[in-house]
Amino acid sequence: MKATFDGTWVRAGHEGRALYDQSGYGRPEKEGIRLAPEEALYLVHRGRLEVAGYSFDRLLAVCAERPEFMRSYLVYRDIRERGYVVQTGPHDFRVFRRGERPGTGQSQYLVRVISERDLIDFSGLLGEAAASLNLRKQHVLAVVDDENELTYYEVKMPTLPQVEKEEEEWNTRGELVGKYAIVHVPPSGSAVPGSYGMQLDPGRLVLAPLEILNLMRSGRLTLQRNGEPIDPERYYGMAHESDIEFPEKVAVYEDMRNRGFVPRTGYKFG
C-alpha cells in the first residue's frame, strides 16, 4: 500500500481505509486515512505500507529528530505486538480492549509515555489520572529505561477511609542520636503507644524522623540532644537538610496518621 509523508503526517489514499476498518490504524479523511508517524513506521516495519521516498531507516531517522519519538515508537510497537489496537491521543496513546477497535468498541487505557529519568510533575499526573477516571478509562504510565526496556504502571486514585482511632494523652522524652531518637521504655511495655518506633532492645525504642516530628507536633514527645531541648520546627529543618523529600513525606505520613492508619517508615514498608 502506497503512502506519502509531509513531515508531520503520513497519508494513504482510499485503499488505506481498510487499515482503519480492519485494524484501527490512523484516522479517516476524505481522501483516505491520516497516520501518525508511529503508526506509519510500524506498518512499514510489518511490510504493510510503503512511504514514497522513505525506507524504514530513513523514516525512523527523520521522525527521531523529535527527541521523545523513539521511546514513543517503542511503546506503540510493544502495545501493538501485545495484540491491542492503539491510537495516538489524548495523552500519548489510547488503547482499546482486546478484540475491539475504533467504531466497534471503547478504549480502555490512556497511556502517557515517559523516560525513567524524567522528573514527574505530580500535579500534572494527578490531573491526567483524574481526567482518565472521568472518562471511565485506566491511566497508565509507560516508562522507558536507558536500555529501552518498558515497564507499565497503572495510576489509581484510591480514597483512604477514615479509621476510628483511640485518642491517648501521654508524653515521653527522647534523645536525638544522629537523625533518630532513642526513647527509654519500661520493661512492662512500650512508652510510645500507637505502633511507633522499632524495638532496639528490651529497654529502648528507635524513632524514625517522620515519627519524631509527628509525636513532637502532637505534644507527645519532648526531644533533646546532650541536655539541650529541640523544638519541632528546629528538628524539621534538621531533617529537611538530609532529605530533600522530607516535606512531602511529612504531608503523606501525617495525613495517614490523622485518618487512623499506622504507617511504617522505610523502603521495606513503602
Side-chain angles (χ1 to χ4, degrees):
M1 187 177 298
K2 305 294 184 180
T4 59
F5 181 44
D6 64 9
T8 302
W9 302 101
V10 174
R11 287 182 165 85
H14 291 294
E15 68 276 12
R17 183 60 187 252
L19 291 171
Y20 175 81
D21 292 336
Q22 296 172 11
S23 305
Y25 289 99
R27 302 294 174 91
E29 293 184 329
K30 288 183 178 180
E31 302 300 324
I33 62 168
R34 182 190 71 213
L35 297 162
E38 293 89 346
E39 297 175 299
L41 194 64
Y42 181 73
L43 287 168
V44 172
H45 164 70
R46 300 287 292 179
R48 299 181 63 185
L49 189 72
E50 293 181 11
V51 180
Y54 292 89
S55 64
F56 176 87
D57 291 347
R58 175 59 181 158
L59 184 60
L60 176 60
V62 172
C63 293
E65 292 178 2
R66 194 179 82 210
E68 69 278 7
F69 178 80
M70 180 60 79
R71 64 178 183 239
S72 180
Y73 172 68
L74 291 174
V75 171
Y76 178 89
R77 185 187 68 176
D78 183 71
I79 296 173
R80 275 286 182 181
E81 294 291 328
R82 291 172 184 266
Y84 292 93
V85 170
V86 52
Q87 288 191 323
T88 56
H91 295 161
D92 284 314
F93 298 117
R94 63 190 187 112
V95 181
F96 289 76
R97 294 179 176 86
R98 288 185 185 273
E100 297 186 356
R101 53 185 170 77
T104 67
Q106 297 292 322
S107 56
Q108 182 177 8
Y109 305 101
L110 297 181
V111 180
R112 172 66 73 194
V113 180
I114 63 173
S115 164
E116 68 171 351
R117 296 188 178 275
D118 287 345
L119 294 177
I120 295 178
D121 175 6
F122 279 96
S123 60
L125 176 61
L126 289 174
E128 289 188 349
S132 298
L133 185 63
N134 290 337
L135 293 171
R136 300 182 183 275
K137 315 294 184 188
Q138 293 170 259
H139 190 65
V140 175
L141 287 182
V143 182
V144 185
D145 68 19
D146 288 345
E147 286 74 43
N148 291 322
E149 296 291 334
L150 311 182
T151 305
Y152 296 96
Y153 297 93
E154 184 179 351
V155 180
K156 295 185 177 181
M157 300 180 68
T159 300
L160 293 178
Q162 193 76 28
V163 178
E164 186 175 347
K165 59 180 180 178
E166 296 182 5
E167 296 293 338
E168 300 179 75
E169 293 187 7
W170 49 269
N171 184 276
T172 190
R173 294 181 179 275
E175 180 72 21
L176 187 62
V177 179
K179 63 179 181 179
Y180 300 97
I182 300 296
V183 174
H184 290 269
V185 298
S188 59
S190 172
V192 185
S195 299
Y196 288 91
M198 181 196 74
Q199 196 84 36
L200 182 63
D201 57 40
R204 298 177 181 83
L205 283 178
V206 179
L207 298 176
L210 292 171
E211 297 172 316
I212 295 170
L213 186 64
N214 179 261
L215 289 169
M216 292 178 73
R217 284 180 168 178
S218 62
R220 291 176 289 175
L221 175 66
T222 301
L223 189 65
Q224 63 178 20
R225 180 171 58 186
N226 298 326
E228 177 189 1
I230 299 174
D231 63 40
E233 294 315 306
R234 182 183 173 192
Y235 180 75
Y236 179 93
M238 295 165 63
H240 192 191
E241 283 182 1
S242 61
D243 184 355
I244 61 173
E245 296 179 338
F246 192 65
E248 291 80 7
K249 293 176 181 178
V250 169
V252 173
Y253 183 88
E254 292 192 345
D255 180 71
M256 287 192 287
R257 277 285 179 184
N258 291 336
R259 292 175 183 271
F261 290 91
V262 180
R264 304 295 293 174
T265 62
Y267 290 110
K268 176 180 178 182
F269 299 102

PDB file of all heavy atoms in Angstrom, residues 233-247:
ATOM      1  N   GLU A 233      10.062  22.746  65.035  1.00  0.00           N
ATOM      2  CA  GLU A 233      10.486  23.419  63.812  1.00  0.00           C
ATOM      3  C   GLU A 233      11.985  23.302  63.591  1.00  0.00           C
ATOM      4  O   GLU A 233      12.450  23.189  62.449  1.00  0.00           O
ATOM      5  CB  GLU A 233      10.045  24.885  63.835  1.00  0.00           C
ATOM      6  CG  GLU A 233       8.532  25.052  63.797  1.00  0.00           C
ATOM      7  CD  GLU A 233       7.871  24.156  62.751  1.00  0.00           C
ATOM      8  OE1 GLU A 233       8.279  24.216  61.569  1.00  0.00           O
ATOM      9  OE2 GLU A 233       6.961  23.382  63.111  1.00  0.00           O
ATOM     10  N   ARG A 234      12.736  23.320  64.665  1.00  0.00           N
ATOM     11  CA  ARG A 234      14.179  23.135  64.520  1.00  0.00           C
ATOM     12  C   ARG A 234      14.484  21.729  64.022  1.00  0.00           C
ATOM     13  O   ARG A 234      15.316  21.536  63.140  1.00  0.00           O
ATOM     14  CB  ARG A 234      14.883  23.391  65.852  1.00  0.00           C
ATOM     15  CG  ARG A 234      16.406  23.248  65.754  1.00  0.00           C
ATOM     16  CD  ARG A 234      17.071  23.440  67.096  1.00  0.00           C
ATOM     17  NE  ARG A 234      18.495  23.141  67.031  1.00  0.00           N
ATOM     18  CZ  ARG A 234      19.279  22.999  68.089  1.00  0.00           C
ATOM     19  NH1 ARG A 234      18.762  23.141  69.325  1.00  0.00           N
ATOM     20  NH2 ARG A 234      20.558  22.715  67.950  1.00  0.00           N
ATOM     21  N   TYR A 235      13.785  20.747  64.588  1.00  0.00           N
ATOM     22  CA  TYR A 235      14.027  19.375  64.127  1.00  0.00           C
ATOM     23  C   TYR A 235      13.608  19.207  62.664  1.00  0.00           C
ATOM     24  O   TYR A 235      14.279  18.530  61.890  1.00  0.00           O
ATOM     25  CB  TYR A 235      13.289  18.357  64.999  1.00  0.00           C
ATOM     26  CG  TYR A 235      13.548  16.953  64.508  1.00  0.00           C
ATOM     27  CD1 TYR A 235      14.770  16.337  64.740  1.00  0.00           C
ATOM     28  CD2 TYR A 235      12.605  16.276  63.737  1.00  0.00           C
ATOM     29  CE1 TYR A 235      15.045  15.076  64.236  1.00  0.00           C
ATOM     30  CE2 TYR A 235      12.867  15.014  63.232  1.00  0.00           C
ATOM     31  CZ  TYR A 235      14.093  14.423  63.485  1.00  0.00           C
ATOM     32  OH  TYR A 235      14.368  13.184  62.971  1.00  0.00           O
ATOM     33  N   TYR A 236      12.498  19.842  62.288  1.00  0.00           N
ATOM     34  CA  TYR A 236      12.047  19.788  60.893  1.00  0.00           C
ATOM     35  C   TYR A 236      13.157  20.280  59.960  1.00  0.00           C
ATOM     36  O   TYR A 236      13.453  19.658  58.932  1.00  0.00           O
ATOM     37  CB  TYR A 236      10.795  20.638  60.724  1.00  0.00           C
ATOM     38  CG  TYR A 236      10.253  20.686  59.313  1.00  0.00           C
ATOM     39  CD1 TYR A 236       9.279  19.791  58.890  1.00  0.00           C
ATOM     40  CD2 TYR A 236      10.716  21.633  58.391  1.00  0.00           C
ATOM     41  CE1 TYR A 236       8.775  19.833  57.596  1.00  0.00           C
ATOM     42  CE2 TYR A 236      10.220  21.680  57.098  1.00  0.00           C
ATOM     43  CZ  TYR A 236       9.251  20.784  56.706  1.00  0.00           C
ATOM     44  OH  TYR A 236       8.764  20.824  55.421  1.00  0.00           O
ATOM     45  N   GLY A 237      13.779  21.393  60.302  1.00  0.00           N
ATOM     46  CA  GLY A 237      14.857  21.927  59.484  1.00  0.00           C
ATOM     47  C   GLY A 237      16.044  20.985  59.411  1.00  0.00           C
ATOM     48  O   GLY A 237      16.651  20.808  58.348  1.00  0.00           O
ATOM     49  N   MET A 238      16.370  20.352  60.534  1.00  0.00           N
ATOM     50  CA  MET A 238      17.490  19.409  60.559  1.00  0.00           C
ATOM     51  C   MET A 238      17.204  18.207  59.662  1.00  0.00           C
ATOM     52  O   MET A 238      18.069  17.757  58.902  1.00  0.00           O
ATOM     53  CB  MET A 238      17.739  18.955  62.004  1.00  0.00           C
ATOM     54  CG  MET A 238      18.204  20.068  62.930  1.00  0.00           C
ATOM     55  SD  MET A 238      18.079  19.610  64.686  1.00  0.00           S
ATOM     56  CE  MET A 238      19.221  18.234  64.772  1.00  0.00           C
ATOM     57  N   ALA A 239      15.985  17.681  59.749  1.00  0.00           N
ATOM     58  CA  ALA A 239      15.629  16.514  58.943  1.00  0.00           C
ATOM     59  C   ALA A 239      15.562  16.867  57.461  1.00  0.00           C
ATOM     60  O   ALA A 239      15.946  16.070  56.595  1.00  0.00           O
ATOM     61  CB  ALA A 239      14.291  15.944  59.417  1.00  0.00           C
ATOM     62  N   HIS A 240      15.087  18.075  57.160  1.00  0.00           N
ATOM     63  CA  HIS A 240      14.968  18.511  55.766  1.00  0.00           C
ATOM     64  C   HIS A 240      16.339  18.653  55.115  1.00  0.00           C
ATOM     65  O   HIS A 240      16.504  18.403  53.912  1.00  0.00           O
ATOM     66  CB  HIS A 240      14.208  19.837  55.705  1.00  0.00           C
ATOM     67  CG  HIS A 240      13.782  20.212  54.325  1.00  0.00           C
ATOM     68  ND1 HIS A 240      13.293  21.455  54.004  1.00  0.00           N
ATOM     69  CD2 HIS A 240      13.775  19.506  53.163  1.00  0.00           C
ATOM     70  CE1 HIS A 240      12.999  21.492  52.719  1.00  0.00           C
ATOM     71  NE2 HIS A 240      13.290  20.330  52.182  1.00  0.00           N
ATOM     72  N   GLU A 241      17.341  19.037  55.883  1.00  0.00           N
ATOM     73  CA  GLU A 241      18.689  19.196  55.336  1.00  0.00           C
ATOM     74  C   GLU A 241      19.231  17.884  54.777  1.00  0.00           C
ATOM     75  O   GLU A 241      19.966  17.880  53.788  1.00  0.00           O
ATOM     76  CB  GLU A 241      19.639  19.717  56.423  1.00  0.00           C
ATOM     77  CG  GLU A 241      19.485  21.200  56.720  1.00  0.00           C
ATOM     78  CD  GLU A 241      20.487  21.676  57.756  1.00  0.00           C
ATOM     79  OE1 GLU A 241      21.307  20.836  58.208  1.00  0.00           O
ATOM     80  OE2 GLU A 241      20.449  22.861  58.118  1.00  0.00           O
ATOM     81  N   SER A 242      18.879  16.771  55.401  1.00  0.00           N
ATOM     82  CA  SER A 242      19.404  15.473  54.966  1.00  0.00           C
ATOM     83  C   SER A 242      18.444  14.722  54.050  1.00  0.00           C
ATOM     84  O   SER A 242      18.783  13.650  53.543  1.00  0.00           O
ATOM     85  CB  SER A 242      19.731  14.599  56.183  1.00  0.00           C
ATOM     86  OG  SER A 242      18.567  14.350  56.949  1.00  0.00           O
ATOM     87  N   ASP A 243      17.242  15.268  53.833  1.00  0.00           N
ATOM     88  CA  ASP A 243      16.250  14.591  52.990  1.00  0.00           C
ATOM     89  C   ASP A 243      15.408  15.654  52.287  1.00  0.00           C
ATOM     90  O   ASP A 243      14.496  16.226  52.880  1.00  0.00           O
ATOM     91  CB  ASP A 243      15.363  13.679  53.843  1.00  0.00           C
ATOM     92  CG  ASP A 243      14.372  12.870  53.010  1.00  0.00           C
ATOM     93  OD1 ASP A 243      14.296  13.081  51.783  1.00  0.00           O
ATOM     94  OD2 ASP A 243      13.670  12.025  53.590  1.00  0.00           O
ATOM     95  N   ILE A 244      15.705  15.908  51.010  1.00  0.00           N
ATOM     96  CA  ILE A 244      15.007  16.982  50.304  1.00  0.00           C
ATOM     97  C   ILE A 244      13.527  16.660  50.097  1.00  0.00           C
ATOM     98  O   ILE A 244      12.720  17.554  49.831  1.00  0.00           O
ATOM     99  CB  ILE A 244      15.671  17.285  48.944  1.00  0.00           C
ATOM    100  CG1 ILE A 244      15.646  16.051  48.032  1.00  0.00           C
ATOM    101  CG2 ILE A 244      17.082  17.777  49.136  1.00  0.00           C
ATOM    102  CD1 ILE A 244      16.127  16.343  46.620  1.00  0.00           C
ATOM    103  N   GLU A 245      13.149  15.386  50.206  1.00  0.00           N
ATOM    104  CA  GLU A 245      11.748  14.998  50.041  1.00  0.00           C
ATOM    105  C   GLU A 245      10.996  14.967  51.371  1.00  0.00           C
ATOM    106  O   GLU A 245       9.837  14.550  51.421  1.00  0.00           O
ATOM    107  CB  GLU A 245      11.662  13.618  49.379  1.00  0.00           C
ATOM    108  CG  GLU A 245      12.220  13.577  47.963  1.00  0.00           C
ATOM    109  CD  GLU A 245      12.146  12.191  47.356  1.00  0.00           C
ATOM    110  OE1 GLU A 245      12.061  11.207  48.133  1.00  0.00           O
ATOM    111  OE2 GLU A 245      12.156  12.088  46.124  1.00  0.00           O
ATOM    112  N   PHE A 246      11.645  15.419  52.432  1.00  0.00           N
ATOM    113  CA  PHE A 246      11.041  15.322  53.759  1.00  0.00           C
ATOM    114  C   PHE A 246       9.682  16.024  53.849  1.00  0.00           C
ATOM    115  O   PHE A 246       8.738  15.462  54.428  1.00  0.00           O
ATOM    116  CB  PHE A 246      12.002  15.873  54.813  1.00  0.00           C
ATOM    117  CG  PHE A 246      11.605  15.556  56.228  1.00  0.00           C
ATOM    118  CD1 PHE A 246      11.581  14.248  56.688  1.00  0.00           C
ATOM    119  CD2 PHE A 246      11.245  16.569  57.103  1.00  0.00           C
ATOM    120  CE1 PHE A 246      11.213  13.944  57.992  1.00  0.00           C
ATOM    121  CE2 PHE A 246      10.876  16.286  58.406  1.00  0.00           C
ATOM    122  CZ  PHE A 246      10.857  14.971  58.855  1.00  0.00           C
ATOM    123  N   PRO A 247       9.500  17.233  53.296  1.00  0.00           N
ATOM    124  CA  PRO A 247       8.174  17.881  53.399  1.00  0.00           C
ATOM    125  C   PRO A 247       7.052  17.046  52.798  1.00  0.00           C
ATOM    126  O   PRO A 247       5.955  16.957  53.372  1.00  0.00           O
ATOM    127  CB  PRO A 247       8.368  19.197  52.634  1.00  0.00           C
ATOM    128  CG  PRO A 247       9.835  19.468  52.713  1.00  0.00           C
ATOM    129  CD  PRO A 247      10.484  18.119  52.652  1.00  0.00           C
TER     130      PRO A 247
END
